[in-house]
Amino acid sequence: MNVEEIKTVGVVGAGSMGTGIIQVAAQSGFEVKAVDVDDAACARASKAIAKILERLVAKEKITEEQKKQVLGRISFSTDVATLKGVPFLFEAVFESVDVKKAIFEKLDAICGDEVIYATNTSSLSITEMASLVKRPAKFIGMHFFNPVPVMKLVEVIPALQTGQETTDLALAMAKKLGKTAITCKDTPGFVVNRLLVPYMLDAARILEGGVASAEDIDTAMKLGCGMPMGPFELMDYTGVEISYYVGEIFHNYTKEARFAPPGLVRNMVKAGYLGKKTGKGFYDYPAK
Ligand code: NAD
């Protein structure tokens, strides 16, 4: 199969990442069949995409007609069976082996032999996930970044079992979606999170050690290294619990100390100080 032969893609899971993938795929000319177990998630995704396209029209980046065409290419359903016959499926459901296993079992029961499964997992082993499906040679990781329409990178991660044709197709798909792809071995964190997670946890370690304040560490990394956000601003933005859980997963897997979350991060998670979404993290976010 060649990417130019693919007219329709499927997206399973219409949360933060799924919504972005649906939008980008529809804007790239694909018919998009989106599926989420939750009706409300479908409604939220549909509304969010319409709102973003509306803003693009207001900024004269796209025309009203193009907006209508893009929206017309997207359909939502809570029924996995609507994905029957779709040749390329992006998976973006909750980060849980059990949830992912259950969805791939359902997909295996309805999909044909040629279908490609591209998982967006951030922390699970692609090889382990490929071993759960009927056709592991057609299974691959395509790790997008949040927010998907803005972030240009996709990490393409072949499992041990992935066929070269699948990797080539995933790379071509990333390009067709307007992204720049890198390929990476199936290792914890791939490239970006392997470097980013220890960096954020190290920042928390030096804060915990009293080396400098959170504000000063953020200022140092922004003004001294040209980072767009400091490590604490970034952790508050993405959710402090993400750094904690991902650090724990990578630490359990590799036993490398740099992935071990420091006590401060663990305690913040236990206290519910998760960042922007809870109004308190490394900084306070008073309700507007
Ligand atoms: P999310 O919680 O925002 O969305 C997950 C969606 O999956 C929800 O809408 C949920 O209803 C749906 N879902 C759950 N079970 C389902 C099922 N059986 N069938 C269909 N839909 C189902 O999660 P997210 O942040 O979009 O993350 C999704 C995936 O993307 C995860 O694997 C995560 O590791 C990965 N990821 C997340 C980010 C990020 O910054 N959020 C970045 C890169 C990769």
Side-chain angles (χ1 to χ4, degrees), residues 12-18 35-38 41 91-95 99-100 103 120-123 143-146:
V12 192
S16 318
M17 298 307 286
V35 169
D36 198 291
V37 272
D38 183 6
E91 174 275 307
V93 302
F94 294 141
E95 188 73 331
V99 174
K100 296 206 192 262
I103 193 71
N120 195 36
T121 184
S122 296
S123 61
H143 189 225
F144 288 82
F145 291 80
N146 198 8

Side-chain angles (χ1 to χ4, degrees), residues 200-202 204-205 207-208 232 235 239-249 251-252 257 259-275 281-282:
M200 293 194 294
L201 296 176
D202 249 351
R205 263 186 280 275
L207 175 68
E208 195 175 40
F232 300 111
M235 275 191 275
V240 177
E241 80 287 8
I242 305 281
S243 306
Y244 174 67
Y245 291 122
V246 172
E248 283 269 287
I249 292 170
H251 182 240
N252 286 338
F259 288 120
L264 171 65
V265 173
R266 185 182 329 115
N267 284 341
M268 285 177 67
V269 173
K270 302 285 177 230
Y273 298 168
L274 307 183
F282 291 98

